[in-house]
Amino acid sequence: MTALNNNYLDLRTYGAALELLALYGQPLAYCEEVYSHGLKRFPESFNEYHLSPGAIVSQLDQPTRSPKTSMGLLQGIIKARLIHGDWRNAYMALDTALRLHPTQMPSYIFHTFLEERPINEAYQIFCLFCHSGSQIKPYDVTWMLNDLVDGQKPSIGTDFDLDIVLASLNAIHLYSASGRLLSARHLNILLQSSLMLMPTIGPDDSTYWAESLMDPIALVRQLFSIYFSLGVSPEISTYNTVIAAAGRVRHEGILAWAIKELSGSGIASNEITFECLLNASVRTGGAAQVESTWTARDPSMALLPSTWTALARATSFAGNTNFLHDQMKLYNVSDQKSTMRQVYAELAKCQRADFKESPVSTVSDQNTGCESRVAEFTSALHAFKEVLGNPDFRNLKKYPAVRQSIWATSVVIDEQWQKKLYDELSVDSTARGVLEAEASANSERPETNLDSGTIESSTGFRLDELRYRNWKGINELLEHAELFESRMEQAVDEAIKEGKPSKQVRSTKGLSSRGPRQRLLRAQLKDHLADVNRMQADPLTETEWRDKILRLRRVEI
C-alpha cells in the first residue's frame, strides 16, 4: 500500500484496510502504526491534528471547514480498537468524529459499537446519533430493538421491564425524528415488548381479567394507532404477534379483536398465523377450541412440520392427543419421517415437569403494580401520539425525547461543572498555530459557500449545542464502559481461580439462540442499572468528578 500512487488511494482506503487487518488478526499495535502512517501520508488536510483526541474546532457553531477530514479512517480505527478491546481509545475516536462532523455521522460507526459493545452503551450512542440528525440503517435499529426485547421476560412484568418498553418507545420517537422511515418490523418489536407488560395467566387464574382494572384491548388499539400515525401499515406479522400474546395472557377479547381486524384488513394469513391461533386457542378455549380452530383452517394451507408440532403442543396442553393422532393418520403423516420425529420430540418436551403449564395461583401477588405500569406506558403512548400530531415533531429541541439512555434513573451532574470543564478543554491556546495555518491554506482554495450565520441540525439543535451534548454523552459512556470492563476482569479472574472458562462476553455477536442471548442481555442491563443507582447514591464532588473525567479522557492540565 505504501508503494501505490496517491491517485489510487486516500484515507478511506486506509480505513478499510484497518478493519480488514483487525478482522484477520493483526495486532492492535500494527493497526495503530498503519493509522499513524495514513495521517502522515496526507498532511495537506491537517488530519493529524484534527483527528487527535485533543484537537479543537475553531468555531463550535459552524461546520468543520476542513473538507478532507476522513471519517472513513476514523471508522477503521474505531473498528480495530473495539475488536482488540481498546474501548477507551475507540470512544475517544468517536468523540473526535462527533466533534468534527456532529450532523454527518456514518451509520456504520453505530453498527460497530452495536456489534462490539453492551446494549446499554449502543443505545446511548443511538440517542446521540439521532439527536444530531444522523441517519442509522433500519437493520441496525431492528437489531437494537430485538436486543432490548430479549432482555425482557414474557411472564410477569416488573419496573425493570417497563423501563425497557419505554426505552423502545423512546427509540421509535428518536428514529422517526432523525428523518428515517420506520417499518412494520420496528413497530412489531415495540408491540411485542409492550404486550409483555401484561402477566402470563395460568390455567387456575381464569378470573384474573374479570377482576382486573386493565383494558388490554384498549392498549392494543392504541398501539395500532401509532402505526397509522407514523404512516406504517400493519403486516401479517403484526397480527401474529397480537394473537400469540392473546394466548399467553389468556384473553379471549384480544384474540377475537385480532381475528376480526385481520379479516377486515385484506391481509392474507399464513402458516405462522395458524400456528399462533392453535397455541392461543388451547389457552383461551381448551380442547374444543383447538379442534374447531384446526377444522376451520384454510384447506389450501400447507401443513408444514411446524404446523404439526404446534398441533402436538396444543393437544398436549389440552389433554387431547388422540385428536392429534387421528389427524396425523388422516393426512398420512406417518410417511413423513422427519415430521414424525419432530412431533414426538415436541410431545416428549411437553410432558417434562419443567415445561408443563402450572397454575399461576399467586399471579396477583407476583404482579403487584402491573396495572400502574401498563397505565404509565399507555400515558407515554398518548404523549408520543400527540407529538406526532405536530408538523414539526422532528424538532427534538422543541419536542425532546424522554430519555438519553435505557433507564429513567440517571446520574445528575451539575451543569456548571460540565460547562466549565468543557470550555476549558475546547479552547486551547496551543492549537491556534495549527488553526491559523489551516485558515491560511483554506484561503487559497475556492470558497465552500458556508453560511456564517446560525446553523442548525435537522432536529433543531445548533452545532455548538450538539457538540456540547455529544461531549457530555461520551463522558457518560466512558464511565459506564469502565465499570463494565471492571466487572469483566473480575469475572475472568474468578473463572481462572475456579479453573473454569469465563462465560462473560461484551455483546450478543455470535449468540444465535434466544436463551443465552436473553440471559446475557438481562444480566448486562441489570448490572448497568445497578451501576447507575450506585453512582446516583454516592455523588461525587466537583473536584472528584473533574479528576475522573480527565483520567478517563487521559487529559493532562
Side-chain angles (χ1 to χ4, degrees):
M1 197 159 79
T2 58
L4 289 175
N5 187 285
N6 286 2
N7 292 329
Y8 297 96
L9 59 84
D10 58 16
L11 287 174
R12 291 172 296 180
T13 318
Y14 272 81
L18 282 168
E19 181 171 348
L20 287 173
L21 288 169
L23 287 170
Y24 281 93
Q26 285 291 343
L28 180 60
Y30 183 80
C31 295
E32 294 287 358
E33 286 180 14
V34 173
Y35 176 69
S36 298
H37 184 273
L39 292 175
K40 289 180 172 61
R41 183 166 183 168
F42 298 93
E44 72 279 359
S45 56
F46 295 90
N47 276 284
E48 191 167 7
Y49 170 74
H50 282 299
L51 300 188
S52 65
I56 66 170
V57 176
S58 57
Q59 292 179 289
L60 293 172
D61 62 345
Q62 295 295 313
T64 302
R65 291 180 179 272
S66 181
K68 292 186 180 180
T69 49
S70 175
M71 295 296 273
L73 183 65
L74 279 175
Q75 281 184 188
I77 196 62
I78 286 173
K79 181 75 172 183
R81 288 169 178 173
L82 287 176
I83 287 175
H84 287 287
D86 187 5
W87 56 271
R88 189 190 308 272
N89 285 318
Y91 272 121
M92 293 314 298
L94 174 62
D95 181 61
T96 299
L98 288 166
R99 179 176 62 252
L100 287 174
H101 302 292
T103 62
Q104 300 172 29
M105 294 299 296
S107 179
Y108 187 70
I109 291 182
F110 169 70
H111 172 86
T112 300
F113 279 94
L114 180 63
E115 190 175 44
E116 302 291 343
R117 295 301 300 173
I119 178 62
N120 55 281
E121 294 177 30
Y123 184 91
Q124 195 161 347
I125 294 170
F126 170 85
C127 292
L128 291 177
F129 277 39
C130 288
H131 272 90
S132 72
S134 299
Q135 298 193 350
I136 294 172
K137 299 291 185 184
Y139 168 79
D140 289 326
V141 180
T142 303
W143 181 353
M144 184 187 75
L145 290 173
N146 274 326
D147 274 1
L148 284 174
V149 76
D150 279 350
Q152 290 180 259
K153 278 191 175 180
S155 52
I156 295 177
T158 63
D159 290 339
F160 175 89
D161 298 293
L162 174 61
D163 258 330
I164 294 178
V165 177
L166 291 173
S168 300
L169 179 62
N170 189 69
I172 295 294
H173 179 185
L174 285 169
Y175 191 61
S176 58
S178 73
R180 295 293 296 208
L181 293 176
L182 288 153
S183 69
R185 180 178 298 179
H186 298 134
L187 294 177
N188 289 350
I189 300 171
L190 175 65
L191 177 66
Q192 178 188 359
S193 179
S194 307
L195 296 177
M196 284 186 187
L197 289 177
M198 294 188 289
T200 296
I201 305 299
D204 290 351
D205 277 296
S206 56
T207 61
Y208 177 82
W209 290 114
E211 299 168 358
S212 174
L213 298 176
M214 280 189 289
D215 186 353
I217 299 178
L219 173 62
V220 174
R221 284 175 175 160
Q222 193 163 1
L223 283 162
F224 267 65
S225 72
I226 296 296
Y227 282 72
F228 302 124
S229 297
L230 287 166
V232 178
S233 299
E235 298 176 346
I236 185 57
S237 55
T238 310
Y239 294 98
N240 293 346
T241 300
V242 178
I243 291 169
R248 183 180 64 79
V249 302
R250 294 179 183 272
H251 199 290
E252 294 181 42
I254 296 178
L255 181 60
W257 181 89
I259 293 172
K260 180 181 177 182
E261 290 294 314
L262 175 58
S263 300
S265 68
I267 300 173
S269 60
N270 57 21
E271 291 80 5
I272 297 175
T273 311
F274 183 64
E275 292 164 20
C276 290
L277 281 169
L278 279 175
N279 291 328
S281 63
V282 69
R283 290 173 170 83
T284 57
Q289 186 66 36
V290 171
E291 293 182 20
S292 63
T293 300
W294 178 266
T295 306
R297 76 185 187 285
D298 184 350
S300 64
M301 187 189 75
L303 295 177
L304 305 175
S306 59
T307 311
W308 287 108
T309 54
L311 181 61
R313 184 164 51 252
T315 54
S316 180
F317 285 154
N320 187 22
T321 54
N322 288 337
F323 180 76
L324 166 68
H325 295 300
D326 290 343
Q327 295 303 309
M328 290 172 68
K329 185 177 180 180
L330 179 63
Y331 288 94
N332 296 318
V333 179
S334 58
D335 296 337
Q336 306 170 28
K337 294 183 179 180
S338 176
T339 301
M340 291 292 289
R341 282 196 300 270
Q342 293 180 50
V343 166
Y344 283 109
E346 185 69 26
L347 288 173
K349 185 170 68 173
C350 292
Q351 293 304 312
R352 289 205 318 260
D354 62 341
F355 193 83
K356 286 183 178 180
E357 286 200 310
S358 57
V360 190
S361 56
T362 57
V363 63
S364 298
D365 297 333
Q366 296 180 45
N367 198 45
T368 302
C370 178
E371 292 178 0
S372 64
R373 284 188 287 273
V374 171
E376 184 175 344
F377 175 67
T378 303
S379 177
L381 272 180
H382 180 72
F384 178 46
K385 190 175 179 182
E386 284 192 339
V387 168
L388 291 176
N390 294 284
D392 55 347
F393 79 93
R394 289 185 57 194
N395 188 321
L396 289 171
K397 189 174 181 180
K398 187 175 181 180
Y399 302 105
V402 176
R403 54 184 73 195
Q404 310 307 317
S405 65
I406 293 174
W407 309 113
T409 304
S410 61
V411 181
V412 180
I413 305 297
D414 189 288
E415 194 67 25
Q416 291 184 349
W417 299 358
Q418 298 186 82
K419 194 68 172 67
K420 179 181 176 182
L421 182 57
Y422 176 73
D423 290 341
E424 189 175 347
L425 297 178
S426 300
V427 181
D428 183 0
S429 59
T430 61
R432 288 177 182 168
V434 175
L435 295 172
E436 289 172 1
E438 183 187 17
S440 175
N442 283 333
S443 66
E444 299 175 3
R445 299 176 184 151
E447 288 296 322
T448 55
N449 196 29
L450 289 174
D451 185 3
S452 60
T454 300
I455 296 177
E456 293 184 348
S457 69
S458 61
T459 52
F461 292 97
R462 299 194 315 271
L463 297 190
D464 57 329
E465 292 174 322
L466 276 181
R467 287 181 167 117
Y468 178 49
R469 288 177 62 92
N470 293 338
W471 180 84
K472 292 192 294 183
I474 292 295
N475 291 342
E476 293 179 15
L477 285 161
L478 286 168
E479 288 185 274
H480 295 318
E482 183 178 56
L483 289 168
F484 174 80
E485 293 298 328
S486 176
R487 282 195 304 274
M488 286 277 291
E489 290 178 9
Q490 183 180 357
V492 170
D493 290 342
E494 291 175 356
I496 292 173
K497 288 179 182 178
E498 296 175 0
K500 299 178 180 178
S502 174
K503 296 181 180 180
Q504 293 293 317
V505 292
R506 289 180 173 82
S507 72
T508 57
K509 185 175 69 172
L511 297 178
S512 56
S513 57
R514 182 176 175 84
R517 282 173 53 83
Q518 186 179 66
R519 287 191 292 272
L520 170 68
L521 289 163
R522 199 164 179 85
Q524 286 184 351
L525 290 167
K526 284 190 171 182
D527 285 341
H528 176 58
L529 179 58
D531 289 339
V532 171
N533 289 332
R534 185 166 55 252
M535 292 164 67
Q536 189 180 43
D538 187 20
L540 301 177
T541 64
E542 179 179 4
T543 301
E544 290 172 334
W545 174 81
R546 172 190 166 89
D547 291 345
K548 183 177 185 179
I549 297 303
L550 293 177
R551 176 182 59 78
L552 287 169
R553 286 178 169 269
R554 292 177 175 168
V555 176
E556 294 183 5
I557 295 181

